[in-house]
């Protein structure tokens, strides 16, 4: 099963790293605030959340960053984050 959260129009103040947590929590059927150690991996143990947010943030001069994607494993799922703000959560194969 694939869960996809489209954040092409991001919520003001919400980071892409929180979108990842929110998408995994939705997949697990829990509140995002419940997705914490020791039951679940901490996102910062897998990837630097600040670096992930900065990777897809608008540049200081206001220009959009080029297209791209990041893939990593988190809480037993394969996570794909794309430059258009989409977060995909799928089972590890």
């Amino acid at each position: 099963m694939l869960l996809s959260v489209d954040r092409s129009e991001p919520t003001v103040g919400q980071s892409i790293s929180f979108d990842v947590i929110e998408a995994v929590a939705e997949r697990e059927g829990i509140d995002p605030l419940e997705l914490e150690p020791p039951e679940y991996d901490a996102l910062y143990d897998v990837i630097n959340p600040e670096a992930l947010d900065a990777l897809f943030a608008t540049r200081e001069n206001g220009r959009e960053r080029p297209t791209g994607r990041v893939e990593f494993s988190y809480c037993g799922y394969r996570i794909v984050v794309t430059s258009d703000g989409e977060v995909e959560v799928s089972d590890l194969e």
Side-chain angles (χ1 to χ4, degrees), residues 7-86:
R7 297 291 184 217
S8 53
E9 294 185 31
T11 305
V12 175
Q14 186 164 307
S15 65
I16 196 77
S17 57
F18 186 78
D19 291 342
V20 169
I21 292 169
E22 195 173 57
V24 171
E26 184 177 329
R27 182 72 182 262
E28 289 287 305
I30 62 173
D31 186 274
L33 298 176
E34 295 176 36
L35 193 69
E36 59 182 33
E39 193 171 343
Y40 295 94
D41 297 330
L43 184 60
Y44 58 79
D45 285 339
V46 177
I47 193 167
N48 182 325
E50 292 175 354
L52 180 63
D53 295 340
L55 184 62
F56 297 114
T58 303
R59 293 180 177 165
E60 287 183 18
N61 64 7
R63 296 177 75 190
E64 294 292 319
R65 299 212 183 257
T67 60
R69 63 190 269 148
V70 172
E71 296 183 34
F72 57 95
S73 298
Y74 175 56
C75 290
Y77 297 105
R78 180 175 160 262
I79 310 297
V80 178
V81 179
T82 60
S83 58
D84 65 356
E86 187 172 326

Side-chain angles (χ1 to χ4, degrees), residues 2-5 23 69 78-82 86-90:
L2 176 69
L3 172 70
S4 180
V5 177
R69 63 190 269 148
R78 180 175 160 262
I79 310 297
V80 178
V81 179
T82 60
E86 187 172 326
V87 176
E88 297 176 5
V89 179
S90 59

